[in-house]
Amino acid sequence: SVVVLCGAGISVSAGIPDFRSPGTGLYDNLQKYDLPSPQAIFELSYFRERPDAFYLLAREMWPDNFQPTPAHHFVALLHAKGLLRRCFTQNIDSLETASGLPADLVV
């Protein structure tokens, strides 16, 4: 049995930035939203003042805008071969299930 732990790196090659990498990370590329701080886009108090910033970012980051990477397909292959016990991910992009992995194996 194999257990897979996925982080942001599994989706970077799909075009989804991680949060903190200098120059390429999400927090380094939010200037167009004119935020008081990069984290403000995810703060409820800022959302209540200016929800448009969050909604614009959510539209850009919507899972249907991206395709699974070879790493996602590898995890699905582990499942297809009966080897995968569970896939734990911190990602919210749904690319694990888009690669064919059943949702009940993704935590």
Side-chain angles (χ1 to χ4, degrees), residues 59-102:
R59 186 177 304 132
E60 289 178 25
M61 301 299 293
W62 193 254
D64 289 347
N65 296 339
F66 303 95
Q67 298 299 314
T69 67
H72 292 102
H73 290 294
F74 175 72
V75 177
L77 178 64
L78 290 173
H79 165 66
K81 293 192 172 284
L83 299 172
L84 186 69
R85 184 173 201 89
R86 190 82 62 229
C87 175
F88 292 92
T89 182
Q90 67 178 20
N91 299 333
I92 59 169
D93 54 35
S94 303
L95 293 181
E96 291 85 7
T97 54
S99 71
L101 196 60

Side-chain angles (χ1 to χ4, degrees), residues 19-62:
F19 278 76
R20 294 175 182 86
S21 290
T24 59
L26 181 67
Y27 286 156
D28 246 10
N29 292 285
L30 294 174
Q31 297 85 2
K32 64 184 172 188
Y33 299 107
D34 192 31
L35 303 168
S37 73
Q39 295 84 1
I41 201 157
F42 298 114
E43 293 172 356
L44 184 57
S45 59
Y46 189 76
F47 177 79
R48 287 181 174 146
E49 284 178 36
R50 201 169 144 226
D52 56 312
F54 176 81
Y55 288 128
L56 288 170
L57 178 63
R59 186 177 304 132
E60 289 178 25
M61 301 299 293
W62 193 254

